[in-house]
Amino acid sequence: MTEDSQRNFRSVYYEKVGFRGVEEKKSLEILLKDDRLDIEKLCTFSQRFPLPSMYRALVWKVLLGILPPHHESHAQVMVYRKDQYSDVLHALKVIRFISDATPQVEVSLRMYQLEYGRLPRSPSFPREPEDEVFLAIAKAMEEMVEDNVDCYWIIRCFVNQLNNKYRDYLPQLPKAFEQYLSLEDSRLLSHLRTCSAVSRLPYDLWFRRCFAGCLPESSLQRVWDKVVSGSCKILVFVAVEILLTFKIKVMALNSAEKITRFLEN
């Protein structure tokens, strides 16, 4: 039996006895042992398989550019990241924008605003729509990443990826959603159009916030594995699947307001 056939046999066996993903975990561990991490291979792995929880933060930090590919540089780079985090945090306390009682998600937002020159004149100023997006993502990320420094840097780079790398793609996702839903269930799409609901679906929640606050943590992590590794199109497939899952309920609703409210909740 060849090495590949042995591996395939083991994968099938492990899945049958309930150890799904054992081979995938071993493959990732091999990738992470390289002296210079192969970004392309890590992206490909993340696109194909869910990342094991124990390696997720590390892989995300590498793919988002927080850590360099070279292993020997990781410790020193994280020292720099922690120092920068501490400096920005201290600055916000000095100008009294935050205190020790400020919720961590609010701290992350103020840090981000200060670093990118968007800090308002007063903490009492109303938030902008992009601030609400940031807070939703930060709140979800806080549930996934325990360390405050790691969490802030991942939030920061994740949001930057949405704002920069995916800037031109995100506005196109509602149209792509319609196209894929038409292929999967044209009757359901026709119902949404009859109710004038297509343009009023919670696209901001689905695509700008990447389902933060919408999906349970375990599902959201798997979706964000794909987003971090280079695919925002996964958001369209998830949105379509949500509609198909709740098809009976959605078909029973006869107004855009009711459909939108149901999907938002």
Side-chain angles (χ1 to χ4, degrees), residues 82-207:
K82 289 176 182 177
D83 287 346
Q84 185 173 338
Y85 177 93
S86 298
D87 289 345
V88 178
L89 188 68
H90 177 69
L92 286 168
K93 288 181 178 179
V94 169
I95 61 177
R96 299 182 180 179
F97 248 83
I98 62 170
S99 68
D100 292 337
T102 304
Q104 187 60 35
V105 291
E106 178 81 14
V107 171
S108 295
L109 173 63
R110 296 308 187 191
M111 290 180 69
Y112 185 80
Q113 289 175 329
L114 180 58
E115 287 201 89
Y116 288 91
R118 301 174 188 170
L119 196 67
R121 293 183 181 180
S122 166
S124 61
F125 273 35
R127 294 193 187 110
E128 299 292 335
E130 58 264 30
D131 297 336
E132 298 298 341
V133 171
F134 185 99
L135 287 171
I137 291 172
K139 186 176 181 181
M141 198 72 78
E142 198 178 56
E143 298 296 319
M144 302 178 194
V145 184
E146 292 183 5
D147 183 82
N148 286 342
V149 177
D150 281 353
C151 189
Y152 171 69
W153 277 99
I154 293 174
I155 296 165
R156 179 186 191 269
C157 294
F158 186 89
V159 170
N160 283 343
Q161 186 181 57
L162 295 178
N163 292 339
N164 299 317
K165 182 177 181 179
Y166 297 145
R167 180 181 58 191
D168 296 331
Y169 294 102
L170 290 176
Q172 301 173 22
L173 296 187
K175 191 65 179 177
F177 165 79
E178 279 189 67
Q179 293 171 349
Y180 280 100
L181 184 59
S182 177
L183 294 173
E184 293 291 335
D185 197 318
S186 58
R187 183 166 169 261
L188 177 54
L189 179 59
S190 177
H191 174 71
L192 293 175
R193 286 172 173 165
T194 300
C195 297
S196 300
V198 175
S199 63
R200 299 182 61 179
L201 294 175
Y203 294 127
D204 276 358
L205 173 62
W206 293 348
F207 304 145

Side-chain angles (χ1 to χ4, degrees), residues 202-256:
Y203 294 127
D204 276 358
L205 173 62
W206 293 348
F207 304 145
R208 290 192 67 205
R209 301 187 183 195
C210 299
F211 295 96
C214 177
L215 296 176
E217 180 185 338
S218 58
S219 301
L220 193 60
Q221 288 175 336
R222 296 183 174 210
V223 173
W224 285 7
D225 285 344
K226 313 298 186 255
V227 176
V228 168
S229 58
S231 173
C232 64
K233 206 168 186 178
I234 182 67
L235 302 173
V236 172
F237 299 139
V238 174
V240 169
E241 191 59 37
I242 286 175
L243 263 294
L244 296 177
T245 299
F246 296 106
K247 175 182 176 178
I248 295 176
K249 179 66 176 177
V250 171
M251 292 290 285
L253 301 173
N254 56 11
S255 73

Side-chain angles (χ1 to χ4, degrees), residues 40-60:
E40 186 175 342
K41 287 182 179 179
L42 285 175
C43 284
T44 300
F45 182 94
S46 300
Q47 290 292 313
R48 294 184 61 192
F49 310 109
L51 293 169
S53 297
M54 62 188 298
Y55 297 122
R56 179 169 278 113
L58 171 60
V59 174
W60 282 9

